[in-house]
Amino acid sequence: MKKKGRVFSGARPTGRQHLGNYLGAIQNYVKLQENYDCIYCIVDIHALTTLEDTHLLKQNTRDMMLDWLAAGLDPEKSILFVQSHVPQVMELHTLLSMVTPLGWLLRVATFKEKVKAQPQNVNYGLVGYPVLMTADIILYKADTVPVGEDQLPHLELAREIVRRFHFLFGPTFPEPQAKLTTFPMVLGLDGERKMSKSYGNDIELAASAEETRQKIMTAFTDPARKFRNDVGHPEVCNIYSLHGYFNPERQEGIAPQCRAAEIGCVACKQLLAEGVNKALAPFRERRAEIAQRPGYVEEVFADGARRAHAIAVETIKEVREKMGLP
Ligand code: SF4
């Protein structure tokens, strides 16, 4: 079947993935494999812009790929690799940095936020991040990038850099287009903030069924429902919204029961734990099976790097020629 185009997406090595990662990104990555040539990259160099301690980087990268594979990313269908394993991206980053006006980068909202968030570590990489991101995409001549609405300005900047390169040296790359994707904002167990490992409010995909149940039992629910006989407000309850993903057939029935205090939060959470565990059972089985295959994840990394490298060297050759490098 002819594919619709080439997708590139990169994600930082955050280690074992959680339900928010799965619902927000991985599920979509898996679907895109059917209709696009997909290149999925764990962007370890990007991670260095915000990390001061790198001792977990290798393990986190490996754990993340293990979860991706168990969730259905298929190395036969997609190129799965680690950013730094294809060093041409650093070369393209340097070359693009020569055509990118500094003013464009200093205006980027996320750069300003990072400067506030880590004043002790305002490194050059933070400013150059959009240039490296552009290099990531265009090194592989990807034409499609799955993004949420909040990332559209970054992609627009990538296109600006591509246009500037084309203006100076002639057409070379596809202008990457957004494949606008609704990434559901999955709240964490605190019911307030986005699910994230750094807030400690997450449920790991690879957690056991019992660990998952225990975590769900600790989750915050409707803050106005203090006692079993108080009526609830499912529309403000995170457990209720998680039922929508993991127990869709039951969710509708839970709302009136909650509003009439016919179901208690303990029972409601038990139902959610059953739904989550049922949905994750095939993932866990596959993860255990892959984890038992010695060297398999490393083989996937090596094969992905080999295939990505083959595209990258051609692009760099073309770029060097266009730029007139001796
Ligand atoms: S019964 Fe369920 S939906 Fe209602 S407040 Fe409790 S956990 Fe939330």
Side-chain angles (χ1 to χ4, degrees), residues 51-317:
L51 287 183
E52 288 177 29
D53 179 356
T54 60
H55 78 283
L56 287 175
L57 204 50
K58 271 189 195 157
Q59 189 61 42
N60 282 347
T61 303
R62 193 181 184 285
D63 286 347
M64 188 162 165
M65 182 55 74
L66 190 52
D67 282 353
W68 278 9
L69 293 167
L73 285 184
D74 182 350
E76 301 280 321
K77 292 181 182 161
S78 301
I79 297 179
L80 309 172
F81 74 111
V82 179
Q83 185 185 28
S84 68
H85 291 179
V86 184
Q88 283 77 8
V89 77
M90 266 80 88
E91 184 174 352
L92 186 56
H93 166 245
T94 303
L95 297 174
L96 292 178
S97 72
M98 306 303 167
V99 305
T100 308
L102 185 58
W104 291 5
L105 302 175
L106 294 175
R107 278 200 296 272
V108 172
T110 47
F111 169 64
K112 293 180 187 167
E113 284 162 19
K114 285 281 182 322
V115 170
K116 275 194 199 143
Q118 53 181 65
Q120 79 296 353
N121 182 19
V122 182
N123 54 69
Y124 161 74
L126 281 180
V127 192
Y129 159 83
V131 184
L132 182 56
M133 191 197 85
T134 307
D136 282 323
I137 302 166
I138 66 176
L139 181 61
Y140 305 106
K141 303 236 171 154
D143 48 31
T144 308
V145 183
V147 287
E149 203 137 346
D150 57 328
Q151 291 163 307
L152 284 176
H154 290 150
L155 197 59
E156 183 50 35
L157 181 51
R159 278 198 294 271
E160 293 283 346
I161 296 172
V162 169
R163 284 183 208 126
R164 181 142 172 88
F165 186 94
H166 289 175
F167 173 73
L168 294 168
F169 305 112
T172 309
F173 306 103
E175 270 189 33
Q177 301 301 315
K179 179 160 178 52
L180 206 56
T181 312
T182 323
F183 295 106
M185 223 282 258
V186 182
L187 291 180
L189 296 172
D190 53 12
E192 283 179 2
R193 295 173 295 184
K194 194 176 163 178
M195 188 175 284
S196 162
K197 203 171 265 204
S198 49
Y199 299 141
N201 64 2
D202 62 318
I203 301 175
E204 287 182 351
L205 296 172
S208 69
E210 181 51 24
E211 283 164 350
T212 302
R213 195 192 64 79
Q214 283 179 13
K215 278 224 160 182
I216 290 175
M217 297 316 285
T218 66
F220 282 78
T221 62
D222 170 10
R225 197 173 184 200
K226 295 206 166 43
F227 301 102
R228 168 67 183 82
N229 291 335
D230 291 344
V231 296
H233 306 85
E235 60 285 351
V236 299
C237 175
N238 192 31
I239 294 293
Y240 181 73
S241 51
L242 286 170
H243 273 295
Y245 302 116
F246 296 101
N247 262 336
E249 67 291 345
R250 275 177 158 159
Q251 191 196 32
E252 209 180 315
I254 287 171
Q257 287 182 306
C258 170
R259 288 194 187 101
E262 285 167 9
I263 185 171
C265 293
V266 171
C268 189
K269 288 176 181 176
Q270 293 279 15
L271 286 178
L272 177 65
E274 278 169 30
V276 172
N277 283 331
K278 191 170 164 211
L280 291 184
F283 166 88
R284 289 177 183 144
E285 206 174 301
R286 190 160 156 67
R287 193 182 195 279
E289 187 233 313
I290 297 170
Q292 276 175 3
R293 290 159 71 178
Y296 179 69
V297 173
E298 288 68 25
E299 275 170 34
V300 169
F301 281 147
D303 182 60
R306 186 184 52 73
R307 288 154 67 201
H309 180 261
I311 305 170
V313 288
E314 290 304 315
T315 307
I316 286 292
K317 194 167 151 225

